[in-house]
Amino acid sequence: LATASVPSFETNQEALQATRDLQQKSLEALERIQAQAAESQAVGQEALIQLQNHNEQLDEATRATQKVDDSLNKAHRLQDRFAFISFQFGNRKTAKRHLKHEQKHLKSTPDTAPTFKR
């Protein structure tokens, strides 16, 4: 076991001065720790504010995406309804088939421009 060396003092004044020095060093260390804790808290608060801002931006992007998705779904329903009214059943399926055919054709002859039949 390692034993700590005990300082020897010749007078009570020396002991009191050593004690005061030790207390002063302890207070200085405590002040440094408190300053570091305050700085860490400020950094943490700033990070939290930034995260909240990013969260708000993500929420707004999600709402905008949902709005676009709803509009697309409505457009698909209307397109199907118009196709049904004009007796063109399976119109979207037929359009996809035509597009696939045109894409194959474009690979073989790159000079022609594609047309989308719907």
Side-chain angles (χ1 to χ4, degrees):
L1 287 174
T3 58
S5 64
V6 178
S8 62
F9 303 108
E10 295 193 19
T11 64
N12 285 339
Q13 285 300 95
E14 288 178 358
L16 285 173
Q17 186 58 41
T19 304
R20 285 187 195 115
D21 291 344
L22 183 61
Q23 284 179 334
Q24 184 61 34
K25 288 179 184 177
S26 296
L27 285 174
E28 290 170 359
L30 182 60
E31 288 172 356
R32 283 193 306 272
I33 292 170
Q34 288 174 335
Q36 288 175 346
E39 184 179 344
S40 296
Q41 184 177 8
V43 169
Q45 286 176 342
E46 181 64 30
L48 183 61
I49 289 169
Q50 288 179 355
L51 286 172
Q52 287 172 339
N53 289 339
H54 288 300
N55 193 24
E56 289 172 5
Q57 289 174 349
L58 287 172
D59 288 344
E60 180 61 32
T62 302
R63 282 191 294 274
T65 303
Q66 185 62 42
K67 198 173 183 180
V68 169
D69 193 42
D70 291 344
S71 295
L72 287 173
N73 287 336
K74 184 177 180 181
H76 282 283
R77 285 193 308 272
L78 287 173
Q79 182 183 16
D80 289 344
R81 186 183 226 184
F82 293 144
F84 180 77
I85 290 171
S86 64
F87 301 108
Q88 296 177 7
F89 303 107
N91 199 21
R92 199 174 348 162
K93 189 175 181 181
T94 306
K96 287 180 182 180
R97 189 173 55 236
H98 284 294
L99 182 62
K100 194 175 193 180
H101 176 70
E102 285 180 5
Q103 287 173 344
K104 277 185 185 178
H105 184 68
L106 280 178
K107 288 180 184 176
S108 63
T109 58
D111 296 336
T112 59
T115 58
F116 186 86
K117 298 177 185 175
R118 192 157 223 182

